[in-house]
Amino acid sequence: MTPVAPVHPGQLNALLPAQRSDTPRLRVATYNIHKGVRGVGPGKRLEIHNLGMGVKALDADLVFLQEVRLFNQREARHFDRTWFGWPEEGQAEFLAPEGYEAAYRTNAVTRDGEHGNALLSRWPLGEIRHHDVSDHRFEQRGLLYVPVSWQGGVVHTVVAHLGLIHASRVRQVQRLHDFIASHVPAGEPLLVAGDFNDWGERLDTPMAGLGLLRARSPDGRLSSRLTFPSRVPIFALDRVYTRGFRCVRSSVPRGPAWARMSDHLPLLVELELS
């Protein structure tokens, strides 16, 4: 078993620093954490403790997380004798920095545990809902919906992790549309973020049909949104789609510390109400 190797906080650099503005800004991150574990066999290592430092370093108001474990009995036994060990609480609560609220709902149930989506928030949360968007029996997928109180109003948030097959993703976007139409008041600010598995860059058009625009760096740089694979990112699978916001800046932190913690890199954006 590979011992836990903690990342030094100083290695978590190259982040987008918060900027002062007369207009309130919402700092949003989305991150697929790969269930807090990397590698296979004897080389498997626990990264959830490093991810805790990473999430804190992002300094985001809202953190959209995918592949989050509530529990896993096999992994808990495997890492029981490592330096830090498997956390006693669910990964969402474990990763939430001090003062944040955490929301979690399960997407997939396995023999040893379960995993799903989570939202970490500096701001108060409303009623949490889960919507199953599984398209076939081989992939369990869901949407996590959480209204968030911000600046005297409500920002509606949806954490998404779509399927591996394009036709499934198209149908899941339609189910997302139906859910939004049923649960989110028209015209109110909305964020849909997560891992869209959109290898072919084909979902922006159907998402725009829902009134959701992809948050992009204003300078249009492609490098500011490539997140997968983490060591040499060439795909922009992790995204933030918005309604009622404009993107001021975006960034993907890089470096060995970030590359080791998950197979994805986090995407970080700053938004203003439009």
Side-chain angles (χ1 to χ4, degrees):
M1 182 190 305
T2 299
V4 174
V7 166
H8 189 280
Q11 295 176 285
L12 299 171
N13 52 17
L15 291 179
L16 180 72
Q19 287 188 344
R20 295 184 179 276
S21 171
D22 294 333
T23 303
R25 288 184 176 176
L26 191 64
R27 190 172 168 93
V28 175
T30 182
Y31 200 2
N32 182 326
I33 66 166
H34 200 261
K35 303 167 190 168
V37 173
R38 293 299 307 275
V40 295
K44 184 163 63 173
R45 64 181 187 271
L46 185 62
E47 288 291 336
I48 192 67
H49 300 275
N50 289 330
L51 283 161
M53 291 189 290
V55 167
K56 184 176 180 180
L58 291 171
D59 192 28
D61 297 295
L62 300 173
V63 184
F64 294 66
L65 297 174
Q66 307 85 52
E67 294 196 20
V68 181
R69 278 183 165 141
L70 177 61
F71 70 93
N72 187 279
Q73 296 172 345
R74 183 185 60 183
E75 299 288 34
R77 290 193 300 268
H78 182 82
F79 291 108
D80 182 52
R81 292 186 177 86
T82 55
W83 182 8
F84 292 110
W86 191 262
E88 293 184 0
E89 66 265 63
Q91 290 182 343
E93 288 75 16
F94 180 80
L95 292 175
E98 184 176 358
Y100 282 61
E101 295 186 32
Y104 167 86
R105 288 294 184 271
T106 297
N107 290 340
V109 178
T110 65
R111 181 178 63 182
D112 295 301
E114 57 184 91
H115 64 269
N117 297 330
L119 180 78
L120 312 181
S121 174
R122 272 198 179 108
W123 300 86
L125 305 182
E127 181 182 358
I128 303 165
R129 300 185 184 183
H130 177 266
H131 184 56
D132 188 351
V133 294
S134 301
D135 191 60
H136 50 82
R137 65 187 182 92
F138 299 106
E139 288 186 274
Q140 301 173 69
R141 303 287 179 175
L143 306 174
L144 171 66
Y145 166 76
V146 189
V148 179
S149 298
W150 181 67
Q151 298 295 326
V154 175
V155 176
H156 300 270
T157 71
V158 177
V159 189
H161 189 187
L162 301 191
L164 297 174
I165 302 169
H166 176 67
S168 292
R169 294 192 291 272
V170 171
R171 288 188 285 269
Q172 287 164 345
V173 168
Q174 181 57 51
R175 291 170 191 156
L176 170 64
H177 171 271
D178 296 341
F179 180 84
I180 291 171
S182 299
H183 295 90
V184 181
E188 293 194 2
L190 171 63
L191 300 174
V192 180
D195 177 1
F196 288 83
N197 274 317
D198 184 22
W199 309 83
E201 294 283 341
R202 300 164 70 182
L203 288 184
D204 283 358
T205 297
M207 291 294 285
L210 278 59
L212 289 158
L213 300 179
R214 187 167 164 187
R216 301 175 184 269
S217 180
D219 61 14
R221 289 183 301 113
L222 180 63
S223 62
S224 67
R225 53 186 191 271
L226 300 178
T227 58
F228 184 89
S230 58
R231 294 196 182 277
V232 186
I234 55 176
F235 297 104
L237 304 185
D238 305 274
R239 303 174 185 177
V240 179
Y241 288 93
T242 73
R243 184 180 79 187
F245 288 96
R246 69 180 186 92
C247 182
V248 179
R249 294 191 300 164
S250 68
S251 174
V252 175
R254 305 193 188 282
W258 290 104
R260 66 163 289 158
M261 291 190 289
S262 173
D263 57 342
H264 289 247
L265 295 171
L267 172 67
L268 183 63
V269 302
E270 281 191 16
L271 305 172
E272 291 181 352
L273 288 170
S274 59

